[in-house]
Amino acid sequence: MAAVSAGILLYRLVTSGIEVLLVHPGGPFWPKKNESAWSIPKGLVDPREDHLDAAKRELLEETGIKLRSDPQWLGSYKQPGSKTVDVWVAKADGSENPDLSVSTMLELEWPPRSGQRAFFPEVDRAEWSNLEDAARALHKGQVAISTDLRSKLSDSE
């Protein structure tokens, strides 16, 4: 069975348009990569875990943000490979400031084949981004998420 992740895309309305909260992966492979490297806050759904509960958990684990608004379903997105990401969107209430000191730490062998273990934050940056910049920053499999958010917000006006 293919892996399923769940995530929440926070958005806010600013005078210049719509901004979304994106996260940048931590670890030794990503520090200088920006284009097509960012993601929505998301993570794997545990067996028997409700997908929305997993999305809320991942938002908290990766950004320190506890969701205060009711998320709305956006859709399921097939990623390159075989993973699917179930995505909800939620409007930020203005109090959402990422606190990356809470980010989960990943352990891996570093440098490769050295036998040494090192710890890296799962997320090393979180930033608000307009939708045009988000389309360039997001992993290719997640670009449709920002496009669908724009459509959803246009439809609700």
Side-chain angles (χ1 to χ4, degrees), residues 130-141:
N130 65 52
L131 290 179
E132 291 74 26
D133 291 342
R136 286 187 295 278
L138 282 167
H139 288 288
K140 288 181 176 99

Side-chain angles (χ1 to χ4, degrees), residues 2 54 61 105-106 152 157:
E61 285 179 3
M105 298 298 283
L106 303 172
K152 182 178 186 69
E157 291 178 350

Side-chain angles (χ1 to χ4, degrees), residues 13 15 47 59-60 73 115 139:
L13 304 176
T15 54
L59 180 67
L60 183 62
W73 174 252
H139 288 288

